[in-house]
Amino acid sequence: MSASVHIRGGRVLCPAQGIDRSTDVFVGDGRILALGEPPEGFHAGRTLDARGLLVLPGLVDLGTNLREPGARHKADIVSELRAAAASGITTVCASPATRPAVDNTAVLELVQGQAHKAGASRLVPLGALTAGLDGEHLSQMAALKRAGCVAVSDGGQPVANTLVLRRALEYAATHDLPVMVTPQDPDLTRGSSMHEGWMATRLGIAGIPVAAETVALARTLALVEETGARVHFMRLSSTRGAELVARARRDGLPVSADVAMHQLFLTEMDASGYSTTANVLPPLRGERDRAALRQAVADGVIQAVCSDHQPHDADAKAVPFVAAEPGVSGLDTLLALALRLEDEGALPLLTAVERVTSGPAALLGLPGGTLRPGAPADICLVDPRAPWWVTPEALFSRGRNTPFGGWELTGRVRHTLVDGTPVYPEETAPA
Amino acid sequence: MSRRDIQLDDQGRLRHFLTTEGLPRDLLERILDTAASFTGVIEKSIKTVPLLRGRTVMNLFFEASTRTRTTFELAAKRLSADVLNLDMGSSSAVKGESLLDTLRNLEAMQCDMFVVRHADSGAAHFIAEHVGDDVAVVNAGDGRHAHPTQAMLDMYTIRRHKGDFEPLRVAIVGDILHSRVARSQIHALNGLGAGEVRVVAPRTLLPRDVERLGVHVYHEIEAGLRDVDVVITLRLQRERMQGALLPSEQEYYQLYGISRERLALAAPDAIVMHPGPINRGVEIESAVADGPHSVILNQVTNGIAVRMAVMSMCLEGRGSRAEEDE
């Protein structure tokens, strides 16, 4: 059991409660006890001076790849959960796309065991939608759910066979599991990782059309209409994609969507000069897409912004563009970029925080993402004015593949608590 | 570090030759002028000049191409350089060694220049970014991206026959989508101030937003060839029938083949070019390929002079690595 904590004098932002004011937070037994006045008989085992800092619910990240088991040369659960803690992310939804995939309880237990060892941020496991993510056989969803999976996911490997997808949605709905789907038509995507546009034409690289996203969305939406399954679309990339999701939500379909944070800041132009850090899937698209995605986040068509964390070893990116493995190392920059969305006038601060805390938590029914009394004391204290230069070496993640190298961001995490226990900085707490 | 300038040094001289895109007009013209001076050398009985004596050029061909490699080899030898040919297709690259490791090993051999052919777009850029300062990289074709020496020899051929670029209408016909030659030609033609550059192809063989490269797009060959001074037809790869890009060679020839009747739509003194090797009866009628308008064979001869020009310009003003070590 963790000691009681008094967080004093910070600017407390809790979108779930609509709170943005300077106040104190009281924590005990691993939970939020109260905001404002201490509960009766409260005795602070520890006081954190939060004057000049933002006090936020710990961030909830829907899209992370921790690489373990199967690719520990890139990263591992312990390293990445600690990086998450240092980045203010207290809940990490781990992709089932490991080797072997999280499609049975044995792998799930291994993952959970490693997460426990990390003593850092909490890991929320996502189960594989199909066995081995093969797109052909159903995974043991009921067993996965009993063992702690909150949703099933295609892990970035879309199910090509429409009949299998339909059955998977039906089966998941039977067990009341949300299904996380990557809207990407495999035939229109294969062999490329650049938007089909001007930059791809210039660089002589095969392009991925926007239709790769819209075709897949339309197909899945048709199946949602028939099955009533609760579907979450992962990583939108285009104006048209966001429009399709908006329309489906207006029509009352039980669908939601997220976007990778880098999609709100980068475009196809960032791949100029064959920069492999800009090799991502779905690809970085045009300036208009970027603006439309920001608008969709502001409007709530997109309810969550995630890191889409895909740490890589140096070799995976030290190759010509087309041979590089896609993905960015996104944990370290998630929070500072969320704050930057407000700086750039894209979103009010409370909305920006909402999309990385209570927004994603609500989608999967997770208890975190809020400072409501009774909730787990997952809290992040940020200095919103502290500047830092993004360099690959400065990242806490083992993955150095950031496309934001050379950017100056503001917002550094000072303290992270999970269940009321300090997980960052790693310290021997004063008595 | 500006990636845009990777090809040029502080004084605007050529460091590497990776693409024709973004090169200033005077530099493009200097390549052609230098090539012209070498044409004299080639046509004389003494076939070498000592410009690259003591230098070592390494041909790194990750993708097989006997023709291109041979012209680079000849060009280097006529500049008195030592030449090493590495057929990477049958070498360590196949055994899983990374391109970066291969490069490190080859650099230890103290070469002054890598001539690189690779199936991945951007491979030559990648190598240029990772070699030491004293190694020049010449792109001999990377994926669909660029084949700048081929484009410059085509420019050389055009200038020999037509003189000034400004009044010229040029049509490039065929598989623009997959063609590194076409991209490099388009950039070179626009850089040299050509009056109008057209591309002529079905939609399946054109890349997205191609008009932003500075071309007019035609889908009908008759309209595309009308009044042009230069017709460049591209080789049609057989595998294009597999990817559902075209129904058949026959249909392609019917719609886009350069026949005598179609050529009659072009300017009376139009020239016809092809980067080779030719598929007779697929992209071009034999009578045109061998006819009075064709300059296809001249292109091969000019290739040596242009490659000599590019190689000597890239190493101009750089000390030889062998000398520095002494």
Side-chain angles (χ1 to χ4, degrees):
Chain A
M1 194 193 297
S2 60
S4 55
V5 185
H6 177 193
I7 301 169
R8 190 167 60 195
R11 179 179 170 192
V12 174
L13 285 156
C14 180
Q17 303 177 84
I19 290 175
D20 176 1
R21 65 168 188 268
S22 284
T23 188
D24 291 7
V25 181
F26 300 92
V27 169
D29 293 336
R31 304 206 160 257
I32 310 280
L33 296 177
L35 304 185
E37 295 302 316
E40 209 167 314
F42 181 84
H43 174 75
R46 177 188 173 90
T47 301
L48 294 176
D49 182 0
R51 283 172 299 176
L53 304 183
L54 302 180
V55 180
L56 312 176
L59 273 55
V60 177
D61 192 348
L62 289 186
T64 62
N65 287 268
L66 306 183
R67 303 304 193 196
E68 185 180 359
R72 291 179 60 199
H73 60 291
K74 294 181 185 294
D76 55 79
I77 290 172
V78 171
S79 73
E80 299 318 282
L81 288 182
R82 289 187 178 157
S87 308
I89 301 163
T90 52
T91 299
V92 169
C93 299
S95 167
T98 48
R99 278 187 311 255
V102 183
D103 63 357
N104 64 73
T105 51
V107 180
L108 181 58
E109 278 163 22
L110 177 139
V111 167
Q112 287 167 325
Q114 288 300 100
H116 186 71
K117 259 205 296 200
S121 294
R122 84 176 71 239
L123 181 150
V124 169
L126 306 175
L129 181 62
T130 57
L133 294 172
D134 66 357
E136 289 171 19
H137 306 88
L138 299 185
S139 66
Q140 300 170 33
M141 294 183 205
L144 289 168
K145 186 183 180 185
R146 271 199 306 278
C149 286
V150 298
V152 283
S153 159
D154 66 21
Q157 296 163 37
V159 174
N161 183 319
T162 309
L163 178 60
V164 173
L165 180 60
R166 182 193 159 139
R167 300 245 155 96
L169 294 184
E170 286 172 335
Y171 194 71
T174 307
H175 299 287
D176 199 23
L177 277 167
V179 182
M180 302 175 75
V181 170
T182 305
Q184 221 167 72
D185 181 272
D187 295 317
L188 291 173
T189 305
R190 191 169 296 124
S192 178
S193 43
M194 194 178 281
H195 170 57
E196 185 183 89
W198 154 241
M199 186 55 67
T201 292
R202 252 190 74 199
L203 297 181
I205 287 178
I208 302 174
V210 167
E213 182 162 295
T214 52
V215 164
L217 281 169
R219 177 183 77 140
T220 307
L221 287 169
L223 295 178
V224 170
E225 274 182 13
E226 284 200 1
T227 62
R230 160 95 181 74
V231 166
H232 175 76
F233 292 111
M234 300 189 280
R235 316 307 112 82
L236 293 188
S237 72
S238 70
T239 310
R240 291 284 298 122
E243 285 168 2
L244 283 178
V245 172
R247 192 190 310 156
R249 289 171 59 82
R250 274 200 305 276
D251 292 348
L253 293 185
V255 295
S256 54
D258 69 53
V259 64
M261 185 62 88
H262 55 256
Q263 292 282 359
L264 304 179
F265 288 91
L266 307 176
T267 66
E268 58 177 334
M269 299 306 286
D270 289 279
S272 146
Y274 295 102
S275 175
T276 54
T277 54
N279 183 326
V280 295
L281 277 180
L284 298 170
R285 298 198 185 271
E287 180 54 44
R288 259 180 295 180
D289 294 297
R290 190 184 72 127
L293 290 169
R294 284 183 169 206
Q295 192 57 48
V297 172
D299 296 344
V301 169
I302 293 173
Q303 302 80 37
V305 182
C306 70
S307 70
D308 195 20
H309 183 60
Q310 300 187 43
H312 281 296
D313 53 321
D315 287 351
K317 293 287 190 181
V319 288
F321 188 92
V322 290
E325 294 180 50
V328 310
S329 179
L331 293 177
D332 285 78
T333 46
L334 183 66
L335 175 52
L337 289 171
L339 299 178
R340 192 176 172 120
L341 286 171
E342 189 222 6
D343 287 345
E344 295 186 2
L347 301 179
L349 182 57
L350 209 56
T351 308
V353 172
E354 204 269 343
R355 300 297 187 253
V356 291
T357 57
S358 50
L363 293 177
L364 298 184
L366 303 173
T370 174
L371 299 176
R372 199 183 297 280
D378 294 358
I379 307 173
C380 158
L381 275 61
V382 194
D383 182 344
R385 277 176 295 274
W388 58 292
W389 290 96
V390 183
T391 61
E393 301 72 34
L395 301 186
F396 286 97
S397 167
R398 277 180 56 205
R400 304 301 197 215
N401 46 303
T402 175
F404 296 102
W407 286 45
E408 191 190 27
L409 299 179
T410 46
R412 293 246 75 170
V413 173
R414 296 301 182 211
H415 295 277
T416 307
L417 308 182
V418 171
D419 284 334
T421 303
V423 291
Y424 176 81
E426 294 168 50
E427 57 179 34
T428 45
Chain B
M1 181 190 75
S2 164
R3 291 171 183 281
R4 210 172 271 275
D5 292 336
I6 187 168
Q7 300 199 95
L8 304 179
D9 69 11
D10 303 341
Q11 283 109 55
R13 288 180 304 191
L14 214 49
R15 271 178 49 74
H16 305 292
F17 192 54
L18 308 175
T19 170
T20 50
E21 184 184 1
L23 288 180
R25 181 168 179 168
D26 63 333
L27 187 69
L28 293 170
E29 284 173 348
R30 195 138 48 81
I31 293 171
L32 300 181
D33 295 342
T34 310
S37 72
F38 287 135
T39 307
V41 173
I42 296 167
E43 285 165 358
K44 272 189 292 187
S45 54
I46 308 157
K47 289 198 157 79
T48 63
V49 288
L51 281 173
L52 297 190
R53 180 163 294 154
R55 308 289 193 127
T56 307
V57 172
M58 192 177 284
N59 280 326
L60 294 181
F61 277 58
F62 294 88
E63 193 183 66
S65 164
T66 315
R67 259 167 22 117
T68 305
R69 205 205 63 203
T70 308
T71 56
F72 270 106
E73 187 175 347
L74 271 171
K77 285 185 169 160
R78 291 192 176 167
L79 291 165
S80 310
D82 296 322
V83 184
L84 293 171
N85 286 315
L86 266 91
D87 177 8
M88 304 307 293
S90 61
S91 168
S92 46
V94 189
K95 294 175 199 140
E97 187 182 59
S98 84
L99 186 51
L100 210 52
D101 289 336
T102 307
L103 214 56
R104 296 273 174 265
N105 285 321
L106 295 176
E107 270 203 285
M109 294 188 199
Q110 303 272 302
C111 287
D112 298 282
M113 174 176 284
F114 290 152
V115 176
V116 181
R117 159 76 58 104
H118 199 288
D120 289 347
S121 296
H125 271 86
F126 176 81
I127 290 173
E129 276 176 353
H130 288 90
V131 292
D133 282 345
D134 38 14
V135 182
V137 176
V138 173
N139 186 1
D142 64 323
R144 305 176 182 185
H145 170 240
H147 193 352
T149 59
Q150 174 69 44
M152 288 313 291
L153 84 85
D154 295 331
M155 298 307 111
Y156 184 76
T157 306
I158 292 172
R159 196 170 79 165
R160 279 194 115 184
H161 287 90
K162 295 286 169 195
D164 190 9
F165 282 88
E166 282 185 5
L168 295 185
R169 291 196 182 99
V170 182
I172 306 174
V173 183
D175 184 1
I176 313 290
L177 178 65
H178 298 91
S179 178
R180 53 191 171 212
V181 174
R183 281 178 181 71
S184 286
Q185 287 168 335
I186 291 166
H187 291 306
L189 285 164
N190 286 322
L192 287 162
E196 185 191 356
V197 184
R198 302 175 181 179
V199 293
V200 187
R203 289 174 197 276
T204 49
L205 297 181
L206 286 170
R208 181 65 67 98
D209 296 338
V210 65
E211 59 284 355
R212 286 185 62 187
L213 296 177
V215 297
H216 292 134
V217 177
Y218 290 81
H219 302 301
E220 260 187 273
I221 187 103
E222 285 78 12
L225 292 188
R226 195 169 305 281
D227 300 327
V228 297
D229 305 288
V230 179
V231 181
I232 301 174
T233 176
L234 301 170
R235 178 177 167 78
L236 187 75
Q237 306 282 346
R238 292 270 148 85
E239 55 265 30
R240 301 304 168 231
M241 287 359 117
Q242 259 79 61
L245 290 158
L246 289 175
S248 68
E249 289 180 356
Q250 291 76 10
E251 177 148 320
Y252 180 81
Y253 181 70
Q254 277 172 22
L255 294 175
Y256 296 99
I258 307 297
S259 62
R260 278 168 295 180
E261 300 87 75
R262 282 175 178 158
L263 190 56
L265 298 167
D269 58 348
I271 56 171
V272 177
M273 305 170 65
H274 188 299
I278 302 173
N279 292 317
R280 290 167 187 269
V282 178
E283 62 257 357
I284 191 166
E285 186 186 3
S286 268
V288 175
D290 305 326
H293 296 275
S294 168
V295 296
I296 293 168
L297 278 178
N298 303 3
Q299 285 175 265
V300 181
T301 330
N302 296 341
I304 297 166
V306 166
R307 286 170 179 132
M308 286 172 77
V310 169
M311 291 169 117
S312 62
M313 285 170 69
C314 281
L315 291 180
E316 200 173 60
R318 288 172 186 242
S320 131
R321 296 189 68 179
E323 280 166 20
E324 280 164 12
D325 289 347
E326 279 163 17

